[in-house]
Amino acid sequence: MAVKPATPLSPEQLQSVWGTLKSPRRLKTEVLAGLVVGLALIPEAIAFSIIAGVDPRIGLFAAFTMAVTIAFTGGRPAMISAATGAVALVIAPLVKSHGVDHLIAAVILAGVLQIVLSVSGVAKLMRFIPRSVMVGFVNALAILVFLAQLPELIDVPWLVYPLVAVALLIMFVLPRFTQVVPAPLVAIVVLTLITVLAAVVVPTVGDKGQLPDSLPGLLIPNVPMTLETLQVIFPFALAMAFVGLLESLMTAKLVDDITDTRSSKTREAWGQGVANIVTGFCGGMGGCAMIGQTMINVKASGARTRISTFSAGVFLLLLVVVLGDVVSLIPMAALVAVMIFVCWATFDWHSIHPRTLKALPKSETFVMVITVVATVATDNLAIGVGSGTVLAMVMFARRVAHFVTVERTVGGGSVTYTVNGELFFASSNDLYTQFEYALDPAHVIIDMSRSHLWDASTSATLDAIADKYGRSGKQVEIVGLNEASTEMRRRLAGKLGGN
């Protein structure tokens, strides 16, 4: 009797924690992915601590608490959150001017603000970010992650370069033969064995800073509970909340596309807030989603569930507290190679293919380029995405404005102007110039049945048109307004002044 082949699992079924726990093969993938990410998080967290101007343990504790907490509260399974460079750049001035206690207070306040923003529906704003900005965001982050590895490749022993090459060869070639064990993990183990057994002297994780030897505990920031303290930390907390949410929601959308599944952006937003509050009270520097480690988890290692995120946090803590002496021996060349591999896998190479560039509208390509340039130049995701989104909106408004047409029909002692298209601030300005004020008869009809009024600028333009005709003793009749446009005219007509 023929054995009936097993039905392939859907992308949604692959995200099931319970289903994964019942499948040894899938569980092994999740746990090993968490191990790889945990290893990769260690030097990153230490590096971001240095950027923020705090002890490496503060960054490592943040990586642990963010990952473990978001595994339960987050809305995007398999996404990794930890201490990040974006957050480190925001909080560095606060640490320099007021110290670590004010930093911890700002992290807690940022978490509260993120919860408030999530309840206010900030996650829904993701729909206004165009695809060209998303592609630019992905490519810019791939470039930034690559640039962050360059210091580890400059002024180092020459043996670092062949070690990086060996690791990259393993990660590119091994998956063609087997995917039983994640290729990045194999690369890390192989390079560590080579450097230890051959007594090769190259930079290691231990060179980055002291690893913690105890678990994080409850920490109440020692700051005055005054309005002055709030005035100091609020700007930093607000910037941290916005940057963290933006990077997290953009990363969640990217993982949605990769895994062909949907996630709850609102839950992810308040989940980030809860994770930052927990992190603050544990003495961490706060954080958000990390695209590099998320790509290691999802793309390089094939993880799909919250188990991998939880495992990454647990492994990180175990590695630095229990196996700190072993972890400190890992050559930085191995972790640099993993991150370079992630950059290659993350970058959207199709977006810069000549065929793609030829087919895309030049305006969309320009938006993508501006997003990349602004993000890389400022090392600030918020500025890059904001610049790209504003530019895309301006270009969209400019295109739509040209779709408005006016048809003039004369007959029966009157003239009728039929307006076609959407009327808003960009298109209504041109509307004013499309009437024959001197030549038209005394009765002018403006038929709006094929258009819609979107803002006060359009109502003001209609007032200006009527006023100009009125100065010549001519009467204007506006007809065909839909219900929403009629209500806007009722509220605004004659109250905004002429053009």
Side-chain angles (χ1 to χ4, degrees):
M1 182 177 178
V3 178
K4 187 177 180 179
T7 305
L9 296 175
S10 68
E12 288 75 16
Q13 289 174 318
L14 289 173
Q15 291 185 162
S16 168
V17 171
W18 181 242
T20 301
L21 290 173
K22 294 190 294 183
S23 170
R25 180 180 59 83
R26 288 163 55 194
L27 181 60
K28 180 199 66 179
T29 298
E30 298 292 320
V31 172
L32 290 180
L35 176 58
V36 174
V37 172
L39 287 168
L41 280 173
I42 295 171
E44 292 280 304
I46 295 173
F48 296 146
S49 299
I50 295 171
I51 292 173
V54 298
D55 188 283
R57 287 173 290 187
I58 293 178
L60 289 166
F61 286 159
F64 162 68
T65 52
M66 287 293 298
V68 170
T69 306
I70 207 68
F72 293 96
T73 63
R76 174 62 262 177
M79 193 166 77
I80 305 297
S81 292
T84 62
V87 170
L89 290 169
V90 169
I91 62 177
L94 177 62
V95 175
K96 186 176 181 180
S97 61
H98 289 82
V100 174
D101 282 304
H102 278 74
L103 160 65
I104 301 303
V107 171
I108 296 170
L109 179 57
V112 173
L113 291 174
Q114 286 178 325
I115 294 175
V116 172
L117 289 170
S118 68
V119 174
S120 303
V122 69
K124 295 178 182 177
L125 296 177
M126 284 297 297
R127 71 184 70 176
F128 296 110
I129 298 179
R131 179 188 176 278
S132 52
V133 175
M134 268 297 298
V135 173
F137 157 79
V138 170
N139 291 347
L141 281 178
I143 294 170
L144 285 176
V145 172
F146 176 76
L147 292 177
Q149 311 313 308
L150 294 184
E152 305 297 336
L153 298 173
I154 299 173
D155 293 331
V156 294
W158 69 269
L159 284 172
V160 167
Y161 304 112
L163 287 173
V164 170
V166 169
L168 288 172
L169 185 65
I170 291 172
M171 287 183 283
F172 278 106
V173 175
L174 183 62
R176 299 183 181 182
F177 299 96
T178 179
Q179 296 185 3
V180 174
V181 181
L185 179 59
V186 174
I188 291 171
V189 172
V190 170
L191 260 66
T192 303
L193 290 174
I194 290 175
T195 55
V196 171
L197 296 177
V200 176
V201 180
V202 291
T204 63
V205 171
D207 298 331
K208 286 293 181 181
Q210 182 181 357
L211 301 179
D213 55 7
S214 62
L215 299 176
L218 179 64
L219 174 66
I220 305 298
N222 184 23
V223 296
M225 297 296 178
T226 62
L227 181 60
E228 183 181 356
T229 300
L230 182 62
Q231 290 174 336
V232 169
I233 67 173
F234 185 81
F236 295 98
L238 185 62
M240 179 181 170
F242 270 114
V243 169
L245 284 181
L246 182 60
E247 187 158 353
S248 299
L249 295 177
M250 294 283 281
T251 304
K253 191 170 186 296
L254 176 62
V255 178
D256 288 351
D257 294 338
I258 293 172
T259 61
D260 196 24
T261 56
R262 298 177 65 183
S263 61
S264 172
K265 305 301 185 297
T266 298
R267 177 176 173 179
E268 183 61 39
W270 66 255
Q272 289 289 330
V274 172
N276 272 306
I277 292 173
V278 172
T279 297
F281 281 118
C282 288
M285 59 180 273
C288 61
M290 302 185 74
I291 189 170
Q293 277 66 27
T294 298
M295 290 302 100
I296 292 176
N297 198 44
V298 175
K299 264 197 169 183
S301 303
R304 291 293 181 270
T305 76
R306 300 174 186 276
I307 296 173
S308 59
T309 307
F310 179 79
S311 300
V314 172
F315 275 127
L316 181 145
L317 191 65
L318 290 175
L319 288 168
V320 298
V321 174
V322 180
L323 300 174
D325 292 339
V326 176
V327 172
S328 63
L329 298 175
I330 296 175
M332 285 302 299
L335 299 176
V336 168
V338 170
M339 297 309 295
I340 293 174
F341 176 75
V342 168
C343 295
W344 176 85
T346 301
F347 195 92
D348 188 349
W349 297 101
H350 177 73
S351 67
I352 60 172
H353 193 282
R355 282 200 304 268
T356 304
L357 295 175
K358 187 176 180 180
L360 277 177
K362 289 183 173 58
S363 59
E364 293 201 22
T365 301
F366 185 58
V367 168
M368 179 187 71
V369 171
I370 290 298
T371 303
V372 171
V373 171
T375 303
V376 173
T378 62
D379 200 21
N380 189 313
L381 172 66
I383 292 176
V385 173
S387 302
T389 302
V390 169
L391 179 62
M393 289 179 176
V394 170
M395 289 187 166
F396 173 76
R398 183 172 176 272
R399 287 199 303 270
V400 172
H402 294 304
F403 290 151
V404 174
T405 60
V406 177
E407 300 172 7
R408 182 174 182 267
T409 306
V410 180
S414 65
V415 60
T416 300
Y417 286 92
T418 303
V419 182
N420 298 273
E422 305 300 309
L423 295 172
F424 60 109
F425 61 90
S427 57
S428 60
N429 289 330
D430 293 334
L431 181 65
Y432 181 81
T433 64
Q434 299 191 45
F435 292 82
E436 300 288 350
Y437 297 98
L439 301 178
D440 286 341
H443 186 204
V444 179
I445 300 171
I446 303 178
D447 183 0
M448 308 289 289
S449 58
R450 300 179 187 174
S451 63
H452 184 92
L453 276 64
W454 285 105
D455 58 12
S457 296
T458 304
S459 185
T461 298
L462 292 176
D463 287 344
I465 293 169
D467 288 344
K468 187 164 184 176
Y469 275 117
R471 289 195 294 270
S472 301
K474 300 174 183 180
Q475 180 187 3
V476 174
E477 180 184 2
I478 300 175
V479 300
L481 289 171
N482 58 33
E483 184 177 349
S485 299
T486 300
E487 174 60 21
M488 180 174 288
R489 280 294 292 166
R490 185 189 67 77
R491 288 187 289 107
L492 300 177
K495 299 177 181 179
L496 300 172
N499 195 21

